[in-house]
Amino acid sequence: MASVTVKHLWKEYGDQVVLENLNLHVADREFVTIIGASGCGKTTFLRMLLGVEQPTKGQLLIDGQPVPAEPGPDRGIVFQRYSLFPHLSVLDNLMLGLEFSGSRWLGKLFGAKRREALEKAESLLEAIGLHTARDKYPSQLSGGMQQRLSIAQSVIREPKILLLDEPFGALDPGITADMHEIILRLWQANRMTIFMITHDLKESFQLGTRLLVFDKRRHDPHAPERYGATVTYDIPLNRKKHTAPTPALTAELVR
Amino acid sequence: MPRLVNLYPSRGSALALGALPFLILIAAYLFGSAARLAENPDDKLLPAPSAFVDTLKSYAVEEDRRSGEVLWWLDTGASMKRLLVALAISAFIGIAGGLAIGALPVMRSLFGPFVAALAMIPPLAILPILFIALGLGEVAKIALIVFGVAPCIVRDVSLRAGELPKEQLIKAQTLGASSWLLATRVILPQLWPRLIDALRLTLGSAWLFLIAAEAIASTEGLGYRIFLVRRYMAMDVILPYVIWITLLAYTMDWLLRLARARFFPWAETR
Ligand SMILES: Nc1ncnc2c1ncn2[C@@H]1O[C@H](COP(=O)(O)OP(=O)(O)OP(=O)(O)O)[C@@H](O)[C@H]1O
Ligand SMILES: [Mg+2]
């Protein structure tokens, strides 16, 4: 279970208002895609859910409880880059979450516990098509392989919420179809609520069950920092029916 | 014709190119030595190659008449022991301090400025203090090297810890890492290669402090010997010792580089 409730949320950095008066309820197992202009506060919103950034005003609740002020295993994250551990092989990167939970002091598993963790990691490796690269280091992987691994790594601890910040932004458009299939499969298998930022409108329609558009309602040309962004469109999507952005909406959104 | 920046010598010619400056230096020495000795057979500045052979024999093979020791190996043993003990202590301080300062903001606030100030004190300036406080024995010499080298290593290693992408540290926390696991499983393993780099870079100053300490108060050691025979202008001893020291330093550097590639292959830049 992981529903997210946002009540009158404001986020300011000094004089700059980044987010203003955000109100939202996201149900359990929803796949929320987020789009919006660069610098409008999408990452900031994700970072607040992650617990590394605190709201200035208002409430951000997960299952009715305020978000803890620290990242934790109930909320997984995939960044655009840099979220793999370069000193660990592919397999060890994947095992790390299990080793953290299974061994408080050494962070390493042995014997039966290790075999159990290995089994889980190997089946996940298989699922993301990386079993042949299990002994490579992250720097020896392509960008797409790195992101697949990063997603699997986040999912292995079975978080309630998975946060994705432009996970495919740096990838070749040709391989995103595979990535979409993987993320949807993991979402269905792991019963997570997903928040995914993307700058690809088509992708946001294809993947999500709900699309949020962040934008500024008001604009002061002399002081752009006066007003913050909020959710200007909240569009329910039905993947079965292949909702696609109508030309009119597309024009409105990419304005 | 490719641009000069794209012109890579083949393996063989790279070796030849690398050897060239050495050969030129040797040739220049032989030429200068011969010219000076032709003018004055008693010249001490640039001894003939035959003089080196004699010295090597009396220092590295035969026992010293007074002490009954083979001086070359006595000096090498004494110096290497001081240097290696000091480097081991410095490496330990470096990795422990660097990890603590780099990983924990509280430690950074507590020790960061202190270590930065410590690194700025010229170690040779406190050599008298060390001799007064610790006596003229081995401890003071080792302390001087540690004092000269460890703060730099701590700073370098902690900088590396600070350079680790924030994303990585956040990710580890979302995987359930405690501060302890974050330090031992994520940060520390990524600091070892930098420790080796820091050791390699400080190797030169470590030798400098060793020789300085030995020159001032010692009864054996490579630095002691050089400064002892300086009184007799014994270039035939000084030059082989200098070459020997260079060779030792070079070998240590090479071994460290080898260890880095062997044990931390993920950290090699390609
Ligand atoms: N730590 C910070 N201190 C001050 N201002 C910040 C900080 N973090 C973000 N900001 C500001 O908040 C605004 C929103 O940043 P954010 O990273 O959330 O944008 P974004 O919507 O993710 O943009 P993009 O699509 O380019 O990633 C920006 O104007 C940025 O300058
Ligand atoms: Mg962003």
Side-chain angles (χ1 to χ4, degrees):
Chain A
M1 272 294 288
S3 65
V4 172
T5 310
V6 186
K7 285 187 197 160
H8 306 295
L9 181 90
W10 293 68
K11 179 66 190 176
E12 296 164 10
Y13 288 109
D15 285 342
Q16 185 190 4
V17 181
V18 177
L19 294 173
E20 64 173 49
N21 202 20
L22 211 59
N23 288 288
L24 201 63
H25 180 82
V26 174
D28 184 35
R29 302 202 54 193
E30 193 117 52
F31 193 137
V32 180
T33 49
I34 300 173
I35 59 172
S38 177
C40 74
K42 305 178 298 292
T43 298
T44 304
F45 178 64
L46 229 57
R47 288 169 63 81
M48 286 193 283
L49 277 171
L50 195 58
V52 294
E53 206 75 68
Q54 268 64 49
T56 312
K57 275 184 284 183
Q59 284 181 304
L60 187 58
L61 308 171
I62 297 178
D63 291 335
Q65 300 297 314
V67 176
E70 270 191 333
D74 56 328
R75 287 152 291 147
I77 177 87
V78 177
F79 295 105
Q80 198 169 2
R81 310 173 51 183
Y82 299 128
S83 43
L84 294 171
F85 303 100
H87 61 293
L88 297 176
S89 69
V90 167
L91 184 68
D92 288 338
N93 260 287
L94 209 46
M95 296 270 289
L96 197 62
L98 299 174
E99 293 188 306
F100 282 159
S101 62
S103 164
R104 278 184 56 195
W105 294 110
L106 283 180
K108 292 210 188 234
L109 297 175
F110 303 98
K113 271 176 144 184
R114 180 173 167 80
R115 275 194 299 279
E116 196 183 311
L118 259 177
E119 219 164 274
K120 192 167 177 185
E122 303 244 8
S123 77
L124 203 48
L125 271 186
E126 196 89 34
I128 58 170
L130 279 186
H131 48 285
T132 52
R134 51 174 272 167
D135 295 322
K136 289 193 169 167
Y137 288 111
S139 63
Q140 297 168 311
L141 302 180
S142 73
M145 291 161 96
Q146 290 185 9
Q147 282 314 75
R148 269 183 277 165
L149 178 58
S150 186
I151 292 169
Q153 186 183 45
S154 304
V155 166
I156 204 163
R157 281 293 303 266
E158 299 172 6
K160 295 189 295 183
I161 297 181
L162 183 62
L163 308 169
L164 304 157
D165 193 350
E166 302 197 25
F168 316 132
L171 300 185
D172 204 294
I175 50 177
T176 46
D178 293 347
M179 308 292 292
H180 290 175
E181 201 198 307
I182 286 170
I183 191 76
L184 287 175
R185 203 159 359 115
L186 291 174
W187 172 60
Q188 262 137 22
N190 286 279
R191 316 178 150 270
M192 305 174 285
T193 307
I194 293 187
F195 288 84
M196 173 169 147
I197 299 176
T198 172
H199 57 241
D200 181 345
L201 191 61
K202 196 165 142 247
E203 180 175 87
S204 71
F205 270 83
Q206 276 173 353
L207 287 178
T209 57
R210 182 171 175 185
L211 168 65
L212 301 179
V213 181
F214 279 41
D215 202 359
K216 293 186 180 189
R217 279 238 163 78
R218 302 174 285 177
H219 203 80
D220 183 341
H222 302 297
E225 73 281 357
R226 267 277 291 289
Y227 300 114
T230 191
V231 175
T232 51
Y233 287 87
D234 185 345
I235 307 167
L237 304 170
N238 186 340
R239 199 175 307 102
K240 298 261 161 49
K241 285 193 197 150
H242 287 290
T243 333
T246 61
L249 181 62
T250 308
E252 174 69 22
L253 293 181
V254 299
R255 169 185 51 89
Chain B
M1 185 70 188
R3 290 182 186 81
L4 212 48
V5 290
N6 293 326
L7 194 65
Y8 292 95
S10 71
R11 213 178 142 72
S13 43
L15 271 177
L17 282 175
L20 194 61
F22 291 100
L23 294 177
I24 292 176
L25 185 67
I26 292 170
Y29 181 90
L30 292 177
F31 180 78
S33 164
R36 283 183 74 102
L37 287 172
E39 208 163 284
N40 170 15
D42 292 329
D43 181 66
K44 297 202 107 175
L45 193 62
L46 304 178
S50 60
F52 293 130
V53 175
D54 291 344
T55 311
L56 270 178
K57 213 167 101 199
S58 68
Y59 271 78
V61 182
E62 292 164 7
E63 287 169 7
D64 180 47
R65 227 170 298 136
R66 209 137 41 89
S67 62
E69 302 259 17
V70 184
L71 293 179
W72 183 281
W73 301 112
L74 176 75
D75 291 336
T76 305
S79 289
M80 286 306 283
K81 203 170 99 198
R82 288 165 192 148
L83 193 70
L84 292 180
V85 170
L87 284 177
I89 295 173
S90 305
F92 179 77
I93 297 175
I95 196 81
L99 176 64
I101 292 175
L104 302 174
V106 177
M107 288 301 217
R108 183 158 43 232
S109 305
L110 183 61
F111 287 120
F114 183 65
V115 171
L118 220 55
M120 286 303 145
I121 302 176
L124 287 178
I126 61 147
L127 185 56
I129 304 177
L130 292 178
F131 279 142
I132 293 168
L134 303 172
L136 296 177
E138 298 300 292
V139 182
K141 296 186 197 71
I142 291 172
L144 175 72
I145 303 174
V146 171
F147 194 87
V149 166
C152 298
I153 301 183
V154 171
R155 285 220 317 172
D156 203 44
V157 171
S158 65
L159 275 182
R160 174 71 197 127
E163 279 166 17
L164 293 181
K166 283 277 165 298
E167 286 91 339
Q168 242 186 63
L169 305 182
I170 293 174
K171 177 92 175 204
Q173 293 176 55
T174 66
L175 297 177
S178 58
S179 299
W180 167 255
L181 287 177
L182 200 59
T184 54
R185 287 285 272 131
V186 177
I187 304 177
L188 179 64
Q190 297 191 60
L191 296 183
W192 291 116
R194 183 66 165 252
L195 175 70
I196 292 187
D197 292 341
L199 274 173
R200 286 181 62 195
L201 285 174
T202 47
L203 216 50
S205 21
W207 275 98
L208 168 72
F209 297 130
L210 173 73
I211 289 170
E214 286 181 343
I216 293 170
S218 200
T219 50
E220 77 279 295
L222 298 167
Y224 161 76
R225 194 70 54 200
I226 294 178
F227 278 79
L228 181 75
V229 302
R230 180 189 61 100
R231 286 178 228 157
Y232 320 115
M233 279 185 66
M235 288 295 269
D236 57 325
V237 180
I238 296 177
L239 283 176
Y241 262 72
V242 170
I243 293 171
W244 178 233
I245 290 172
T246 311
L247 208 66
L248 288 174
Y250 189 86
T251 310
M252 287 167 73
D253 183 71
W254 178 71
L255 287 175
L256 283 171
R257 203 175 57 202
L258 223 61
R260 191 187 194 277
R262 169 80 180 71
F263 295 113
F264 312 107
W266 53 268
E268 295 298 298
T269 46
R270 282 156 300 128

